[in-house]
Amino acid sequence: MAVAVGRPSNEELRNLSLSGHVGFDSLPDQLVNKSTSQGFCFNILCVGETGIGKSTLMDTLFNTKFESDPATHNEPGVRLKARSYELQESNVRLKLTIVDTVGFGDQINKDDSYKPIVEYIDAQFEAYLQEELKIKRSLFNYHDTRVHACLYFIAPTGHSLKSLDLVTMKKLDSKVNIIPIIAKADTIAKNELHKFKSKIMSELVSNGVQIYQFPTDEETVAEINATMSVHLPFSVVGSTEEVKIGNKMAKARQYPWGVVQVENENHCDFVKLREMLIRVNMEDLREQTHSRHYELYRRCKLEEMGFKDTDPDSKPFSLQETYEAKRNEFLGELQKKEEEMRQMFVMRVKEKEAELKEAEKELHEKFDLLKRTHQEEKKKVEDKKKELEEEVNNFQKKKAAAQLLQSQAQQSGAQQTKKDKDKKKDSEIAVTLPVRTK
Amino acid sequence: MRTQWSPSAAPVTPLSPLHPDDRHPCALGPMDPLRWSPSPCTSRPPSPRTPPCEMLGHVGIEAVLEQLKIKAMKMGFEFNIMVVGQSGLGKSTMVNTLFKSKMWKSTLPGLGVPMPQTLQLQSVTHIIEENGVKLKLTVTDTPGFGDQINNDKCWDPILGYINGQYERYLQEEILITRQRHIPDTRVHCCVYFVPPTGHCLRPLDIEFLQRLCRTVNVVPVIARADSLTIEEREAFRRRIQHDLRAHCIEVYPQKCFDEDINDRILNSKIRDRIPFAVVGADQEHLVNGRCVLGRKTKWGIIEVENMAHCEFPLLRDLLIRSHLQDLKDITHNVHYENYRVFRLNQSHALPRGPGWVNLAPAPADLTATPGPWKVRWQAHDSSDEEC
């Protein structure tokens, strides 16, 4: 049966006017309801030296106390500690994962500090890729652990970025959305702060570090994003303690010389950070991670494995061909290995055989030797036996002769007694002699 | 959680409570018992690794909903609907009525256009906008379906088309360098028009529905319901529901995909009224001073949007106002995944290891259905609803 599908090309799509209310304007609401029931995932990676205020800032940002103890400075290397929390606000459920770099900047030799971080980010991408490549997969159910935002904590030296910072940020910028922030900003005076910020930004630009750009293509958020971008990197102060200011309690840090209010825009940029990170751009951060960073990782990974979309002649590569080629290669290798193993096996068998033959030969020789010895012994014994028999015969003969003489002597009477005695003596001697020579 | 679905007006007659599900052996063999896991976080209790945290003040997380909405509206929505039924059942008129615009000119029979000798699928795409929400709507019609003398395998081209759309999407998805937003041409909903015989489902209907239910969301409707009285409608509906159950045909909204108790209650109400008895009309008439869409006959004007006359508002609400996103989700998460599993298994994929699979060339005959739903979900609340 012929199937002809008349389908206009994209350019011919006409806008149709509706003559009444159809009702699909509820679509965004339907979509949002679906997402609400599924819940959201958001993962933040905090990179910064020990003691720079990462945990405190997280507590302040999300208005809650995440259980954690402060890290020591004795870590042998950088390791990443991830913790997940479930937050709920009105009907929105957020699964928040905060990843901490423990031991960053503590070692004497910091050459490899960035490696565990990059490995962690790649591992999350890899997990997602593996899930996506599965045959039976459940992506909608998948707990997304890919890092959506990386807050890079810059130490408030007042001068410029450290070389460790530059190197780390350069390694991370193609893998994750980096938002640089100046930590413990209450140690910098206002005039120094401005210089510090511009120095940092120019250093980032001159080194080609691509930090996260707040999106300005959307009319609703373009304006606010543009104004906020000017203040990058945000200088923040974190505090979970409340101090009475005026007649209300506010989060602040109390010093002998004054009180630094966290949520006061004149004091620090904390409010701006919260706006940008959570209230305005959370969804964009997630989307950038998925559509840009993850796609890049996926493309690199698949290309690494040897898969291509088109071959050098820019014909779409039949994926079947690549598959066949790879398969043959694989099978060829298998065969080669099999051959090797077979040969080795044959060789071993031969060796063993030779050994066994040797042993057998030895055994035979031994047996022969023993047999010969045994025969010799036997012969000797027989000779001795013959000798003994001969002697016994001699003795019997002599005994018979002696008895004969004795009987003759008795017949001859007493005359013969001396002769008998002599003869007896002789015969005794003759009798005893053979006994002795036995 | 679905948005509240309420019929535009009270139902006409009090309906007798539906008898409990009879389990009938399925004609085509037992289907896997399916359960859909409730949406990921609804009933999953916070594990020790993800302790719930009390927030002491307002953080502003709920602004993410607004952000989501803005992004969605900027990107626009897509919806693909297919109407299947014999000619003359009012499919084109129905589409025009649903979307209140002239999708295409409804063909009047006998006016020069010859009946197509073979089944041909025709698609037309429009962009419609309402209150800032842009919707790219694609309607696929199937003229010639069931019109021949021998209708054997008339569902093949339709299945082929549906699977072809899945194939297209799959090809896009497995590319190395892929687009940011893959254009979605998969059929999200198939409206099946049952002729108003008043008796029961015909063998053609049953065959078609059995095959299609496994590949796409099917919503059956009783077409041209103005030829049935209210009592006849109810009787017809009951018989059709009985037939559907007898043949293990799961139409949309499928029982196995109910997420939680609210959904089940909501969808049970819908399932009770499926198939809707609808009348389509794209001409306006004056009734009691109001301008309404309706069909004018000698014995009265049948108002399309009057719940006392026909159940068109129910269909419209289901398809557009409350369950559109759900239709798309089920197509993407269930039907498309099944197709993907089927195709990847066909390619004798290497198990995970050397890496990614390359598809065997798509079979020329794409009418092979993946078979019973192969996707298994675990339910947290073990409801014993089985298909």
Side-chain angles (χ1 to χ4, degrees):
Chain A
M1 277 190 221
V3 180
V5 181
R7 186 177 262 281
S9 59
N10 270 349
E11 296 88 46
E12 294 171 27
L13 288 176
R14 357 198 282 256
N15 282 17
L16 211 54
S17 54
L18 303 170
S19 54
H21 178 72
V22 177
F24 60 86
D25 50 353
S26 63
L27 260 180
D29 291 319
Q30 291 181 34
L31 181 64
V32 161
N33 282 341
K34 274 271 158 180
S35 307
T36 314
S37 61
Q38 280 174 4
F40 294 90
C41 286
F42 196 57
N43 308 317
I44 304 182
L45 169 68
C46 294
V47 182
E49 301 166 351
T50 316
I52 208 168
K54 304 187 283 285
S55 315
T56 317
L57 185 68
M58 286 297 114
D59 287 350
T60 324
L61 256 181
F62 291 100
N63 248 333
T64 173
K65 191 95 179 74
F66 297 123
E67 308 290 318
S68 58
D69 353 276
T72 69
H73 287 265
N74 298 333
E75 298 281 337
V78 179
R79 80 192 155 83
L80 283 100
K81 198 165 61 168
R83 286 218 177 89
S84 295
Y85 306 95
E86 272 207 27
L87 304 172
Q88 175 140 8
E89 194 172 78
S90 57
N91 59 341
V92 179
R93 259 173 310 111
L94 181 72
K95 210 167 196 165
L96 179 72
T97 306
I98 298 183
V99 189
D100 224 341
T101 49
V102 179
F104 189 76
D106 274 340
Q107 295 79 36
I108 295 177
N109 181 0
K110 298 193 262 267
D111 275 341
D112 294 338
S113 289
Y114 68 89
K115 283 197 186 137
I117 306 177
V118 171
E119 274 167 17
Y120 178 81
I121 297 175
D122 278 346
Q124 307 318 304
F125 283 146
E126 183 65 31
Y128 190 85
L129 184 66
Q130 285 302 324
E131 182 65 30
E132 199 191 13
L133 296 186
K134 271 193 200 166
I135 296 188
K136 288 218 178 117
R137 60 189 189 180
S138 57
L139 272 182
F140 71 98
N141 225 344
Y142 180 74
H143 174 40
D144 192 3
T145 50
R146 301 173 291 183
V147 177
H148 299 127
C150 171
L151 291 179
Y152 197 95
F153 288 70
I154 300 174
T157 57
H159 297 307
S160 62
L161 281 175
K162 299 189 189 162
S163 45
L164 172 67
D165 294 340
L166 276 172
V167 165
T168 314
M169 278 206 261
K170 197 86 183 75
K171 294 278 177 195
L172 292 177
D173 68 354
S174 59
K175 295 195 179 282
V176 74
N177 304 313
I178 300 186
I179 302 177
I181 57 181
I182 302 176
K184 296 199 170 175
D186 49 349
T187 51
I188 311 186
K190 212 163 176 133
N191 46 351
E192 290 173 357
L193 187 64
H194 191 70
K195 266 192 295 182
F196 188 32
K197 280 190 184 181
S198 29
K199 189 87 204 315
I200 292 179
M201 292 309 282
S202 62
E203 276 196 342
L204 288 176
V205 165
S206 60
N207 280 290
V209 175
Q210 288 173 340
I211 58 173
Y212 174 68
Q213 302 295 325
F214 297 118
T216 45
D217 46 0
E218 205 59 61
E219 321 82 46
T220 36
V221 297
E223 207 186 298
I224 187 170
N225 278 340
T227 40
M228 292 291 186
S229 305
V230 171
H231 294 276
L232 273 175
F234 299 125
S235 55
V236 292
V237 175
S239 168
T240 44
E241 284 154 11
E242 304 215 328
V243 171
K244 198 167 174 80
I245 299 173
N247 51 354
K248 344 180 260 167
M249 301 293 282
K251 291 198 282 271
R253 285 175 67 78
Q254 179 139 54
Y255 289 107
W257 48 89
V259 177
V260 180
Q261 292 163 36
V262 167
E263 294 190 347
N264 187 335
E265 297 220 34
N266 289 332
H267 290 196
C268 73
D269 292 333
F270 173 79
V271 173
K272 295 193 181 74
L273 174 68
R274 188 176 56 192
E275 279 290 314
M276 288 290 100
L277 188 63
I278 302 177
R279 293 187 187 169
V280 178
N281 294 313
M282 191 193 274
E283 185 56 31
D284 188 65
L285 282 164
R286 284 157 38 110
E287 201 206 304
Q288 290 282 343
T289 308
H290 178 69
S291 55
R292 203 149 61 95
H293 301 293
Y294 169 69
E295 287 294 318
L296 182 65
Y297 175 82
R298 178 179 175 272
R299 189 166 65 228
C300 291
K301 196 76 202 292
L302 291 178
E303 274 173 7
E304 208 179 274
M305 291 188 197
F307 296 105
K308 290 196 259 296
D309 281 338
T310 60
D311 70 12
D313 300 323
S314 64
K315 259 188 312 173
F317 221 159
S318 160
L319 297 175
Q320 177 74 355
E321 287 172 27
T322 319
Y323 174 66
E324 284 299 322
K326 267 203 169 268
R327 190 158 187 259
N328 290 339
E329 205 185 296
F330 186 60
L331 285 178
E333 271 186 40
L334 272 184
Q335 272 182 350
K336 214 166 49 169
K337 281 211 179 114
E338 213 180 306
E339 268 306 309
E340 274 181 33
M341 280 177 56
R342 196 178 297 145
Q343 281 179 0
M344 201 151 67
F345 179 70
V346 165
M347 209 165 63
R348 285 245 181 94
V349 164
K350 277 198 186 137
E351 279 180 19
K352 202 68 181 195
E353 238 181 74
E355 266 176 50
L356 283 176
K357 273 203 180 123
E358 280 281 327
E360 203 181 329
K361 214 162 70 171
E362 266 177 54
L363 273 178
H364 275 303
E365 278 176 23
K366 244 195 202 164
F367 180 66
D368 285 340
L369 194 67
L370 279 176
K371 202 167 164 187
R372 257 182 285 137
T373 326
H374 170 74
Q375 283 192 347
E376 276 174 25
E377 292 279 311
K378 197 170 170 188
K379 207 164 123 191
K380 276 193 193 150
V381 167
E382 285 205 353
D383 286 345
K384 288 235 172 91
K385 193 175 169 190
K386 269 189 206 153
E387 264 180 48
L388 185 64
E389 276 180 15
E390 264 185 41
E391 281 179 18
V392 168
N393 283 343
N394 287 346
F395 175 66
Q396 297 287 8
K397 275 189 204 158
K398 287 206 171 116
K399 190 176 176 189
Q403 278 181 349
L404 194 62
L405 282 173
Q406 209 177 15
S407 62
Q408 282 179 355
Q410 275 179 355
Q411 283 175 359
S412 49
Q415 312 164 7
Q416 303 282 343
T417 44
K418 233 192 184 177
K419 284 187 189 169
D420 289 340
K421 276 191 186 169
D422 291 337
K423 276 195 180 160
K424 247 193 187 174
K425 276 187 190 165
D426 286 340
S427 67
E428 273 182 25
I429 293 168
V431 169
T432 56
L433 274 180
V435 176
R436 273 191 206 150
T437 57
K438 194 170 91 173
Chain B
M1 251 181 19
R2 298 199 164 105
T3 49
Q4 271 309 317
W5 179 83
S6 49
S8 316
V12 175
T13 51
L15 302 168
S16 56
L18 206 52
H19 42 264
D21 314 286
D22 338 322
R23 289 164 199 221
H24 290 262
C26 188
L28 291 179
M31 280 192 189
D32 292 343
L34 296 163
R35 293 163 211 291
W36 206 30
S37 89
S39 16
C41 300
T42 30
S43 53
R44 199 199 296 163
S47 54
R49 269 182 33 121
T50 62
C53 274
E54 265 308 308
M55 293 197 301
L56 309 165
H58 181 71
V59 175
I61 299 178
E62 57 189 1
V64 73
L65 296 179
E66 202 44 51
Q67 300 167 22
L68 199 58
K69 244 191 233 184
I70 295 175
K71 268 208 191 288
M73 286 181 51
K74 176 165 174 234
M75 200 151 64
F77 295 88
E78 286 167 318
F79 189 55
N80 308 318
I81 187 173
M82 177 190 265
V83 286
V84 182
Q86 289 175 301
S87 19
L89 283 181
K91 303 190 293 287
S92 321
T93 319
M94 176 56 61
V95 170
N96 288 349
T97 324
L98 261 178
F99 292 101
K100 290 218 167 55
S101 50
K102 292 252 183 274
M103 286 282 148
W104 39 44
K105 305 202 181 351
S106 39
T107 50
L108 295 171
L111 277 191
V113 179
M115 221 39 79
Q117 291 309 306
T118 57
L119 175 57
Q120 291 173 332
L121 287 112
Q122 288 172 355
S123 278
V124 70
T125 309
H126 296 288
I127 297 185
I128 45 183
E129 185 176 334
E130 192 174 65
N131 283 346
V133 177
K134 280 210 221 8
L135 178 66
K136 184 164 150 216
L137 179 69
T138 306
V139 183
T140 310
D141 199 356
T142 54
F145 175 80
D147 284 338
Q148 281 78 45
I149 297 177
N150 181 4
N151 284 317
D152 199 20
K153 300 222 188 312
C154 63
W155 47 81
D156 276 353
I158 298 178
L159 278 180
Y161 174 78
I162 296 176
N163 284 335
Q165 302 316 304
Y166 288 147
E167 182 65 30
R168 248 169 143 188
Y169 194 89
L170 182 63
Q171 291 289 347
E172 283 289 329
E173 200 192 24
I174 64 173
L175 281 181
I176 308 284
T177 319
R178 45 188 196 190
Q179 309 171 32
R180 199 165 249 234
H181 176 67
I182 303 178
D184 192 359
T185 52
R186 303 169 290 189
V187 177
H188 298 132
C189 176
C190 176
V191 183
Y192 186 74
F193 286 73
V194 177
T197 59
H199 297 161
C200 60
L201 286 178
R202 302 166 302 159
L204 172 65
D205 300 333
I206 294 179
E207 272 297 316
F208 184 82
L209 284 173
Q210 265 178 339
R211 281 161 210 284
L212 240 69
C213 273
R214 294 192 231 129
T215 333
V216 74
N217 299 318
V218 178
V219 178
V221 296
I222 302 174
R224 286 198 179 276
D226 47 342
S227 58
L228 297 171
T229 63
I230 304 286
E231 294 81 19
E232 284 168 358
R233 263 191 225 166
E234 285 305 314
F236 191 27
R237 198 202 315 276
R238 296 283 160 237
R239 270 193 288 268
I240 292 183
Q241 282 174 351
H242 177 86
D243 278 342
L244 291 177
R245 267 200 306 277
H247 290 94
C248 281
I249 300 174
E250 281 257 331
V251 298
Y252 183 82
Q254 294 96 341
K255 204 174 292 182
C256 21
F257 297 147
D258 284 338
E259 294 177 15
D260 50 23
I261 192 72
N262 294 331
D263 268 351
R264 206 167 303 144
I265 296 175
L266 197 64
N267 290 346
S268 303
K269 280 198 232 142
I270 303 174
R271 279 190 281 266
D272 204 41
R273 305 302 293 274
I274 290 233
F276 302 124
V278 294
V279 174
D282 47 6
Q283 285 176 333
E284 293 196 344
H285 304 274
L286 213 57
V287 170
N288 291 344
R290 290 174 311 149
C291 217
V292 290
L293 280 175
R295 280 171 66 77
K296 186 165 180 178
T297 61
K298 286 223 162 57
W299 46 93
I301 294 181
I302 303 159
E303 290 168 50
V304 160
E305 298 201 355
N306 188 339
M307 270 301 293
H309 291 194
C310 78
E311 288 166 0
F312 171 79
L314 294 182
L315 178 68
R316 182 198 53 206
D317 286 347
L318 177 73
L319 281 188
I320 302 177
R321 291 193 188 168
S322 57
H323 285 74
L324 203 153
Q325 187 61 39
D326 191 50
L327 282 163
K328 290 172 65 169
D329 281 345
I330 292 191
T331 309
H332 180 66
N333 292 333
V334 179
H335 297 298
Y336 170 69
E337 289 294 319
N338 279 338
Y339 179 79
R340 181 176 174 274
V341 167
F342 166 69
R343 284 285 284 135
L344 291 183
N345 277 335
Q346 235 185 10
S347 313
H348 307 294
L350 291 171
R352 258 176 298 159
W356 185 208
V357 68
N358 295 291
L359 285 185
D365 162 37
L366 280 174
T367 59
T369 44
W373 279 316
K374 291 215 172 73
V375 185
R376 248 179 189 281
W377 315 85
Q378 296 99 5
H380 283 250
D381 48 336
S382 50
S383 53
D384 50 352
E385 321 250 39
E386 268 199 27
C387 168

